[in-house]
Amino acid sequence: MTPQQLTQAQLDAYNRHDINAFMDNYAEDVLVRLFPSNQVLFSNSADMATYYAKNRFNLPNLHAQLVERLVQGNIVIDKELVTGLGSEPVSVIAMYEVVGTKIKNVWFIQ
């Protein structure tokens, strides 16, 4: 899969609330951080999967709408509008770095 296809597959799985399909797109040693602080949210796929299962995919109205996508080589930047987290939609920018066949690094900007 291309980096764009890989990030689309994880977005589609996110919207289906399918934790197994979602995590299949990430490296075991995925590093998820906030930008610009580089605060680490997750440093492995097991912790990430636990968090998403308990704090995202349990929300029945959770949905991320892709607003815009930029692709440069193995970097994909998505602007998304996420609903179902609270009473108001949340605008999120996610930057994904694909290494080989998996997402290895993620930075979130909120």
Side-chain angles (χ1 to χ4, degrees):
M1 272 197 273
T2 67
Q4 184 172 350
Q5 291 168 327
L6 190 63
T7 54
Q8 185 61 49
Q10 67 85 38
L11 180 62
D12 292 343
Y14 181 94
N15 285 332
R16 289 191 315 270
H17 302 187
D18 183 339
I19 191 67
N20 293 324
F22 179 71
M23 294 309 303
D24 280 348
N25 300 289
Y26 291 90
E28 284 186 27
D29 59 346
V30 63
L31 189 57
V32 181
R33 295 168 276 194
L34 295 177
F35 183 87
S37 70
N38 273 329
Q39 175 188 345
V40 175
L41 300 176
F42 311 106
S43 59
N44 61 70
S45 62
D47 289 347
M48 184 178 172
T50 298
Y51 177 84
Y52 274 83
K54 291 183 179 180
N55 298 288
R56 291 293 185 267
F57 294 168
N58 63 322
L59 303 172
N61 296 320
L62 181 71
H63 182 82
Q65 175 189 346
L66 181 63
V67 175
E68 184 176 1
R69 175 172 284 157
L70 300 171
V71 181
Q72 182 71 35
N74 67 327
I75 303 293
V76 178
I77 302 171
D78 283 355
K79 181 174 182 180
E80 302 169 358
L81 189 60
V82 180
T83 54
L85 291 173
S87 60
E88 297 294 322
V90 177
S91 180
V92 176
I93 295 174
M95 183 166 69
Y96 305 94
E97 180 185 21
V98 175
V99 177
T101 61
K102 300 287 184 180
I103 298 169
K104 170 72 171 116
N105 289 291
V106 181
W107 293 266
F108 286 118
I109 306 167
Q110 290 183 294

